[in-house]
Amino acid sequence: MLALVLGGNGFIGSHVVDRLVSEGHSVRVYDRSSVEGTEFGHSKVSYCQGNFDDHERLNEALDSVDVVFHLISTSVPSTSNLDPVSDIQSNLVNTVKLLKVMEAHSVQKIVYLSSGGTVYGVPEQSPIPEEHPLSPICSYGIVKVAIENYLHMYSRLNGLDYVALRASNPFGPRQGNSGIQGVVGTFLWKAANHQPIDIYGDGSVVRDFLHVTDLAKLCVSAANSSNVGSYNAGSGCGHSISDVVDTISRVTGAALEVKYHEGRAFDVPHCVLDISKARRVFNWSPTIEFEHGVVDTWNWINKQESACNCAGIENSSCIA
């Protein structure tokens, strides 16, 4: 199987590439950033550099491909409402164009990373099953739902074999320190640099955290499967933001300074996913418990900090 991983040099994408390589698949990566200078390059992987809207380059990258992993998103929930038009253009429109190019190359399989944290909106039940109404309250979630609908349309009309994975809150090694997305990674990087942690609301917001290697395993299992549709991808367990802070304090041994801010309207108060369907269909289960995953991520961050210190680089510049 020749897999094209869109966003394969990113946090989640690089772990999907690792998993594909470990299973002996041929891999081609398409990403706007270069793999040079990173820790996760593979000598047997073909790397193509280009933007998601560069359809000429994408056309070249799709040659002879068997399956596409679509892991690209140009927005995050916290920023998508600032410019919904850009969110629609860069994510929805470009994904529909991707589907047209795939059709031209007769590529019939795609694994798409959707969002279990935003497509359901404020949940009516917990844990949330896939049959729950889709009522997103941010542009990010609305666009994810729209893309899932286009995948379904292409499946019905053109026979596209798709799996949309509604991922919860992935975390783990290689998660950046920009602070834009990823509570666990953001808080750990703050702890490493002795900076205060910002919490929006009173810390009672509950999220479902999934270690990135478990998510990567599910992505590849979905590609190897003949099943079609949308599936939740989470741990099935919830942790409040206050719980996350307590765990990080325990793991790092640091007394963390916390700054509380007014809650944000787009933050769903409680989100835990029902993953029984993915367990059954893909014979998959998450294997890394939350605290063990935090330890794993903390150890990786310490290695990055040590490498930067040895190279004489400012800590905040170590990882983009």
Side-chain angles (χ1 to χ4, degrees), residues 231-245:
Y231 301 84
N232 286 336
S235 69
C237 300
H239 296 274
S240 71
I241 302 304
S242 293
D243 289 340
V244 174
V245 172

Side-chain angles (χ1 to χ4, degrees), residues 206-281:
V206 172
R207 291 290 179 266
D208 183 337
F209 296 96
L210 177 66
H211 195 275
V212 66
T213 57
D214 282 328
L215 176 56
K217 181 180 178 181
L218 178 57
C219 287
V220 177
S221 294
N224 290 328
S225 170
S226 60
N227 292 283
V228 173
S230 298
Y231 301 84
N232 286 336
S235 69
C237 300
H239 296 274
S240 71
I241 302 304
S242 293
D243 289 340
V244 174
V245 172
D246 290 342
T247 301
I248 289 175
S249 180
R250 187 165 56 251
V251 167
T252 63
L256 304 176
E257 179 186 353
V258 178
K259 293 185 176 181
Y260 291 91
H261 307 272
E262 185 177 353
R264 302 174 297 190
F266 60 81
D267 280 330
V268 174
H270 189 282
C271 183
V272 177
L273 301 179
D274 181 346
I275 59 172
S276 57
K277 187 177 177 183
R279 286 180 185 270
R280 181 180 70 256
V281 170

